Each structure stands twice: as structure tokens, then as C-alpha cells.
Amino acid sequence: MASQPQSLSNQLETDQQKVTQNLINYVESFKFPYINDINNYDRMLKIGQGTFGEVFKAKCKKTGKIVALKKILMENEKEGFPITALREIKMLQRLKDPNITELLEICSSKATSYNRGRSTFYLVFTFCEHDLAGLLSNQTVKFQLAEIKGLMKQLFNGLYKIHMSRILHRDMKAANVLISKEGVLKLADFGLARPLFKTVPGQPEACYTNRVVTLWYRPPELLLGERQYGTAIDNWGAGCIMAELWTRSPIMQGETEQRQLTLISQLCGSINPTTWEEVEKLPLYGKIDLPQSLRRRVVERLNSYVKDAAALDLIDNLLALDPRKRLDADKALDHRFFWTDPMPTDLKRLMSTLQHSMFEFTAAHGPHKRAHPQQATVNVPAKVPAVQGHMHDRVF
Amino acid sequence: MLKHRKVFEYIMEAGVKLEAKSSTVAAAVVICYKFLNRMPPEESSVCPYTIGAACLYLAGKVEEDMLKIRDVTNVCYRVINPNKPPIEVDEDYWNLREGVGRLEYLVLRTMGFQLQLVHPHKFLLHYLVTLKHWLSPSAWERSPLAETAWTLLRDAYARPDWVTAHSPQTVAIICLNLALRIHSVDFPLAPEWYRILHSEMTSKKLITLSKELLCKLYEEQSADPRG
Ligand SMILES: Nc1ncnc2c1ncn2[C@@H]1O[C@H](COP(=O)(O)OP(=O)(O)OP(=O)(O)O)[C@@H](O)[C@H]1O
Ligand SMILES: [Mg+2]
């Protein structure tokens, strides 16, 4: 039993309150019966370096189950447990669904001198063999139309669950879409997710930061400074991901926010109050250059890749400039794309053709290594990515 | 007398001083109650008031009502030491502040990160909106029903044992019922109003639990010799 920790109570002598080391020892030597030790798992391989922490593949010593361990970065120790990690945990606990990544438990390591006397916490997930970015970067992986339908159906099912639970994902991108070896799609990475605030009439609306969503998947309203956005931001990302299933690389790869808006205008047509009602009310409208007299060319520019008319129509409606006109997950699931032949199918055939985990395969060379677009971030200042053109053909 | 009742009341007072949302204060008390229950007796040398401060700080994060650790430390110190001058920013202060941050980890672990709480507040709000439609505008204006019900719900957290023993809907209905009795408001056309609002409520349960809450809240207060 460690000694008396720091105390607020006036019954205690001040000199007992002084030594923080006592408290540290106390907290660290406390017998924690309620969360497991990370030593229950054997680390196998580092599979990802995210903005908010490293991800490892590991095996449970007792059950043999393969898991993914996401280390929680302790950015600001003075502020206690990181709020970002706490949010991620809360969201994952609320979102139990076949198409959402499964949080098994939270583990911690023992405090040692290596981690400055502090234990490290890990989120433990069911391991998924593949991620969509990895699969798409491998040209030998070929999707059939029915399989794409199956994938997108699962993606919208997951998104529907998220939005029904009044949560915004805020980081939709191919790398955050995982696929298990059984071919089940799982939306992952709730590091930026937030509960959707209720708007109470007569009260000022709650504001969010608009510095979310990786640049290439960021919708125009965020780029124009909107802070009262809704679930439509995730559906823009879903549209980008859907198109990417055919183009095989992100469809709009801007280096800066200005450039991204230009690319969006070139694809979706000029942004102005005629094409998008009340756009002039957005904070950055008029402060940022928006090329004019461009036609909407979503269908025209994608039809060399996407041969299916229903698919083109669905993408077109997901990439609506005006978030109020953008299709939501529920309506997307009703779209004729999912209800015309060939009907959506599971991914068993595709999975059986894959020898290795694509993500193990790509962790060192593929999309996980290539220059990343400006990451979604809450407080990290914008960094301009170095773009390596040689890995991927630019689509547009 | 409920063990640690003083601690819960202190959290409530500090929460109000910090202008935290009522659901934040509710979460802090419930988390603290569950934590103290889970603590093995041999570990109980940790100061429950500092635990309380850590729970308040954590509840702010859980309820998306972020409180500053500096404010929590200062306000909690003031509530416990009302006659002392405000805490000086010296080594003790920093130790205390770090202590709050450290204990937050302890609370999280002991809770196994299970912080999914459903509070009665949203149900009470919903019920009040419904009742307002049943009453004539003048009847609604006549008595501060809503204020009384909210105050009762706020005070009910001095007894987290009682609050957590019942569903959030039940807790909300009981607070509402007491407010209606206090202001002698009846619904002659809907004598079973509580069943309309919450189908599992019965007249017997309503009476028993209303009495129980009143006793637990207001009659036991002076039972503890230590005050
Ligand atoms: N359950 C899992 N199974 C397999 N791999 C996973 C799993 N969870 C995450 N990964 C891998 O780790 C990467 C990073 O994880 P995640 O996206 O959750 O973290 P992050 O820190 O928010 O990352 P980023 O900032 O890059 O989006 C993912 O892109 C994926 O490649
Ligand atoms: Mg990610």
C-alpha cells in the first residue's frame, strides 16, 4: 500500500500534501482489477502510425485472438487523460455495429522508467486484415461491380448507424475503412468523431472546429469555414471513397485548401449563390478565390472509369456542393444502384484471391508510406504535404 | 447517513460554482459514487475530496462540458476551505492540480472506462414540455413547476445510491411528481399522467418512491453527528 496521496481535505497537514511523488507511486501501484494488462498480448508488427498514436498487430496470449492495439498518445499530461482519446472510447462504446470497428477492451502497461513513471493505455480492436487504401493501391486486386455495391452498402450501413447515434465521424477516407478477412467492411478511426449537438431554438448554435477531415476528402462547406456543419460532411467523404473504388486513387488531391476548392469547382462546377443557396453566408466566401463559369462535370469526368449509370448518379448526388442537397446515408441505401442488377454481393470471392494481408504488405511501401495529404487535425497547424506524383497517377 | 454524502454535496456545490451543466454535475457524482464503491477498503486512504475533484474534471470531458483543471482545483479548494484565503499558486497548488489529473486516470481505470451514463435530465425536460401542453397557460404560469422539479432533481444527487438504483425515467417522474404535489397541481382529466409519460410507472411505485426520495434527501441530513 502506497502512502497518502495529494489531498484536498483540510483535515490533513500541509506537509503531507507536498510530495507528488507519493501520489504518483500510489496511483501506479494501485491494484487495478478493472482493466487488463497489455502483457496479455504479444506484439507482432507495427501496422500504422496515425496522427494520434501508433497501431500494432498483436496476439492474445490466452486466446490466440489477433488484435490491433492503438496506443493512446499522452499529448498534454497536465490536462489528465486526453479528451480526444476519451471521445474515441465513448463513441466506440456507443457504436456497436457489424460495420463499425469493434473495441474489445482498454489495456494499460505498467509504469516504468521508460515511460517516465506513467503507464500507457491502448485501445484493443478486433484485427482487420485489410484497409481500403491498401486494397486500392494494389492493382492486382480487382473489384467486380456487385462487390463494389456490397462494399458501399456496408459503408452506408455503418455511416447510417453513426449518424443515427447522433455522431459525426469527421475523418472519412479510404485508410479509415477496414475490411476483415471475412470481407466485412468496418468504419474505423473515431479519433475526430464528435457528438452531434442539438440545436435549441433561440440559443446560439454550438460550433465545431472546421479543421477536420483529411484535405482530399474535405467537403466544400468546411473549406469555406462553416462551423455549424452536420452529417453531410461524412457523406461527401463517402462520395469520394465511392469514386475511388473505380479510379483507384483519391479523386481530388489538393495541396492546399485553396487548391482543393479549385479542384472541387473543376469537378462539381463553380461555387456561387446560384449553384449553392446561401453559400455567400459562409465565413470564407469572398475571402477565398472561387473559379467561376465552370460546368458541373462529375458524370462526364468519371464515366471513363465508372461504366454504371446508377453508380454515376449516386456519386453525383453524394458530391453535391450544397450540403442540404447532398444524399444522406439512409437515402443512399435506397438508391437504385443497390437495387438493380447486378445486386450487391459479399466479398468472399475477392477475399479468397488475397494471399496476404494487404496492409501488412503495404505497411512499408504502399499507400501508408506515400506522402500523406494534409491530415485532419484539431490543433496541429496546417502542414503542406510534399506530393510524390510518381506513386499514383493523378486522376484529375 | 450515506457514507460520503458530504463528498457528493461538495461536488454539487463546486459544480454549481464552476457553472457546469447539470448533467456534468450528475455525471461527476455518479462516477464518484461508483468509484468509491469499487475501491477496496484497504485503498481508502486516498482523500475522497480530491477524488471528487478528479471526478468533476473527468465528468466535464465525458459530458462535452470541458472544465479547466485550474478552475476545478481552485474552486474545490475554496469549497473545502471556505474560511481560508484562495489557494496560492505555489508548489502545493501545482501538486494538488497534478493530483487531480493523476487521480482522473485512477478513476478511469477503476471504472474500466465504462462511462456510458444516461441521465434523467433529458427525460425530465421532455416530460415538462408535455405537461406544459396539458395545462392552460395561466395554470402553467401560476406555479414554478419546472424550477421546483429541476431543483429536486439537482438535490437528488446527494443520494447517488437512490438515483442509480432507478431508471432515469423513474427518477425524472418522481421529481416531477414531488413538484406537482408541492404546488398542488392536479390533472383531473389524466389522473394517471405518470403512466402516460412512462408506461412502467404505477401509482404504488409513484407514492413509495416519492416518499423514499424525500426521506433520503431531507430527513437524514442531520442524522450524522459529524454534520
Ligand atoms: N482494427 C484494426 N485492424 C487492422 N488495422 C488497423 C485497425 N485499426 C487501425 N488499423 C490501422 O492503423 C491505421 C491507423 O489507425 P487509426 O486510423 O485508428 O489511427 P489514427 O491515429 O487516427 O490514424 P490517422 O491519423 O492516420 O487517421 C489505420 O489506417 C489502419 O491501417
Ligand atoms: Mg486513421
Side-chain angles (χ1 to χ4, degrees):
Chain A
M1 179 61 231
S3 54
Q4 183 71 47
Q6 204 58 40
S7 171
L8 251 175
S9 169
N10 52 352
Q11 293 147 15
L12 293 153
E13 296 300 318
T14 351
D15 55 325
Q16 273 185 294
Q17 298 189 13
K18 271 203 184 108
V19 196
T20 305
Q21 196 53 46
N22 278 351
L23 176 69
I24 296 171
N25 296 343
Y26 176 85
V27 170
E28 294 302 342
S29 63
F30 197 85
K31 309 257 176 311
F32 305 112
Y34 301 102
I35 93 169
N36 286 321
D37 193 278
I38 196 66
N39 278 331
N40 288 348
Y41 296 96
D42 273 326
R43 270 184 224 191
M44 300 161 74
L45 182 74
K46 179 163 163 177
I47 49 175
Q49 171 69 69
T51 328
F52 297 103
E54 298 166 307
V55 183
F56 299 92
K57 181 178 180 177
K59 188 175 184 172
C60 179
K61 286 177 185 164
K62 278 184 224 134
T63 64
K65 189 176 165 83
I66 305 292
V67 299
L69 304 176
K70 185 170 171 178
K71 185 173 170 177
I72 298 176
L73 276 193
M74 303 293 162
E75 314 113 6
N76 195 346
E77 296 181 351
K78 295 258 178 300
E79 310 292 318
F81 194 81
I83 175 107
T84 46
L86 199 62
R87 273 192 197 126
E88 183 166 2
I89 292 167
K90 246 174 50 189
M91 305 291 156
L92 289 163
Q93 288 171 339
R94 240 158 96 180
L95 292 169
K96 292 285 174 207
D97 187 88
N99 294 124
I100 291 169
T101 177
E102 185 190 12
L103 178 67
L104 296 168
E105 62 171 337
I106 294 149
C107 280
S108 70
S109 68
K110 290 234 162 52
T112 62
S113 50
Y114 288 111
N115 43 35
R116 286 176 295 146
R118 285 189 175 249
S119 38
T120 312
F121 290 81
Y122 296 84
L123 307 188
V124 184
F125 296 97
T126 307
F127 185 74
C128 287
E129 272 59 25
H130 314 282
D131 76 12
L132 201 53
L135 290 181
L136 289 171
S137 72
N138 185 326
Q139 297 296 334
T140 66
V141 180
K142 300 254 191 297
F143 296 103
Q144 297 170 350
L145 182 57
E147 288 165 347
I148 289 186
K149 291 187 183 189
L151 273 174
M152 286 311 295
K153 195 171 170 182
Q154 295 188 59
L155 187 141
F156 284 120
N157 276 332
L159 206 50
Y160 178 72
K161 169 77 183 190
I162 294 172
H163 292 165
M164 279 305 285
S165 311
R166 308 194 56 80
I167 288 171
L168 300 176
H169 183 280
R170 306 203 304 180
D171 199 12
M172 292 290 286
K173 60 177 175 182
N176 287 341
V177 178
L178 308 180
I179 296 165
S180 75
K181 66 172 183 293
E182 292 81 26
V184 181
L185 176 147
K186 312 253 178 201
L187 294 176
D189 195 352
F190 288 77
L192 284 174
R194 284 295 299 267
L196 193 58
F197 294 129
K198 278 182 220 84
T199 44
V200 184
Q203 271 189 21
E205 283 186 63
C207 286
Y208 305 101
T209 169
N210 57 3
R211 298 205 49 80
V212 288
V213 189
T214 306
L215 187 56
W216 296 347
Y217 298 84
R218 202 177 294 167
E221 66 270 28
L222 288 184
L223 292 163
L224 287 169
E226 176 67 277
R227 299 174 74 90
Q228 287 161 14
Y229 48 81
T231 53
I233 63 160
D234 293 333
N235 294 303
W236 176 273
C240 294
I241 293 170
M242 180 169 171
E244 209 173 318
L245 292 174
W246 284 274
T247 64
R248 311 291 294 215
S249 62
I251 59 169
M252 291 177 279
Q253 307 185 10
E255 301 85 21
T256 59
E257 300 182 7
Q258 170 67 64
R259 177 77 185 136
Q260 192 67 22
L261 273 169
T262 305
L263 291 174
I264 291 174
S265 304
Q266 286 168 356
L267 181 64
C268 303
S270 294
I271 296 172
N272 56 50
T274 321
T275 56
W276 176 353
E277 228 177 288
E278 299 193 324
V279 66
E280 71 278 8
K281 292 189 178 157
L282 294 181
L284 297 180
Y285 186 84
K287 298 201 177 71
I288 205 163
D289 185 37
L290 295 171
Q292 289 305 306
S293 24
L294 295 170
R295 266 186 314 117
R296 187 171 176 87
R297 297 174 60 200
V298 177
V299 172
E300 182 187 321
R301 293 184 68 176
L302 282 170
N303 68 12
S304 58
Y305 299 89
V306 188
K307 304 293 183 194
D308 183 77
L312 284 168
D313 185 72
L314 178 51
I315 296 171
D316 198 22
N317 281 293
L318 290 165
L319 297 181
L321 288 171
D322 184 346
R324 279 164 298 197
K325 302 223 171 92
R326 208 170 293 152
L327 226 52
D328 63 25
D330 191 31
K331 295 231 178 63
L333 286 166
D334 283 337
H335 193 275
R336 68 189 150 92
F337 176 64
F338 296 111
W339 304 100
T340 47
D341 281 333
M343 289 296 278
T345 180
D346 62 43
L347 301 169
K348 291 215 176 69
R349 179 212 64 91
L350 185 70
M351 290 299 129
S352 68
T353 66
L354 301 175
Q355 303 290 320
H356 305 279
S357 160
M358 280 305 137
F359 192 69
E360 269 180 65
F361 167 76
T362 54
H365 350 270
H368 301 284
K369 196 199 164 202
R370 77 159 185 249
H372 275 283
Q374 193 174 310
Q375 293 286 325
T377 162
V378 180
N379 37 28
V380 184
K383 42 180 191 245
V384 181
V387 173
Q388 290 180 334
H390 67 274
M391 296 277 312
H392 286 272
D393 322 274
R394 290 284 192 83
V395 183
F396 297 107
Chain B
M1 177 76 184
L2 174 70
K3 198 177 171 210
H4 298 307
R5 176 166 176 159
K6 287 268 149 222
V7 177
F8 306 134
E9 287 176 349
Y10 134 89
I11 293 176
M12 289 155 69
E13 189 183 337
V16 170
K17 289 214 165 87
L18 283 161
E19 293 176 21
K21 290 193 298 190
S22 46
S23 60
T24 305
V25 181
V29 172
V30 171
I31 292 169
C32 189
Y33 169 71
K34 291 189 172 172
F35 174 85
L36 293 172
N37 265 355
R38 282 192 157 196
M39 278 247 291
E42 69 272 16
E43 298 283 7
S44 60
S45 75
V46 60
C47 163
Y49 291 90
T50 320
I51 295 278
C55 291
L56 198 48
Y57 181 52
L58 174 60
K61 292 181 184 174
V62 171
E63 296 293 319
E64 295 290 346
D65 179 29
M66 193 66 183
L67 305 171
K68 293 201 179 71
I69 192 162
R70 181 198 315 124
D71 298 345
V72 172
T73 312
N74 286 327
V75 168
C76 287
Y77 181 85
R78 284 292 286 276
V79 172
I80 290 173
N81 306 292
N83 303 321
K84 283 197 201 166
I87 189 166
E88 268 178 60
V89 182
D90 58 9
E91 205 196 323
D92 285 349
Y93 165 79
W94 288 107
N95 285 345
L96 197 55
R97 177 164 153 172
E98 186 171 353
V100 172
R102 288 272 177 164
L103 286 172
E104 188 192 46
Y105 284 85
L106 185 66
V107 173
L108 275 169
R109 297 183 141 190
T110 308
M111 299 290 290
F113 285 85
Q114 293 301 320
L115 303 162
Q116 300 293 98
L117 304 172
V118 183
H119 302 298
H121 300 71
K122 65 174 180 198
F123 296 102
L124 181 57
L125 183 68
H126 177 73
Y127 298 156
L128 281 167
V129 170
T130 310
L131 282 198
K132 190 175 172 183
H133 289 299
W134 292 357
L135 290 169
S136 68
S138 61
W140 176 261
E141 297 287 317
R142 209 175 301 135
S143 45
L145 253 188
E147 286 81 349
T148 309
W150 280 116
T151 307
L152 283 159
L153 179 58
R154 196 192 61 203
D155 288 0
Y157 279 86
R159 297 302 306 245
D161 53 330
W162 187 85
V163 173
T164 55
H166 304 287
S167 73
Q169 291 92 329
T170 300
V171 172
I173 292 265
I174 298 303
C175 292
L176 187 55
N177 181 50
L178 288 170
L180 291 167
R181 298 284 71 78
I182 288 167
H183 297 295
S184 310
V185 178
D186 285 311
F187 300 101
L189 295 177
E192 295 209 316
W193 58 271
Y194 45 87
R195 272 195 38 199
I196 302 172
L197 296 178
H198 180 45
S199 59
E200 281 162 39
M201 188 51 67
T202 62
S203 129
K204 188 157 172 268
K205 208 168 146 188
L206 190 76
I207 294 166
T208 319
L209 291 181
S210 298
K211 267 195 200 150
E212 198 178 290
L213 176 60
L214 273 189
C215 292
K216 285 192 183 276
L217 268 189
Y218 301 112
E219 288 178 15
E220 288 183 19
Q221 203 149 25
S222 53
D224 181 38
R226 282 186 24 238

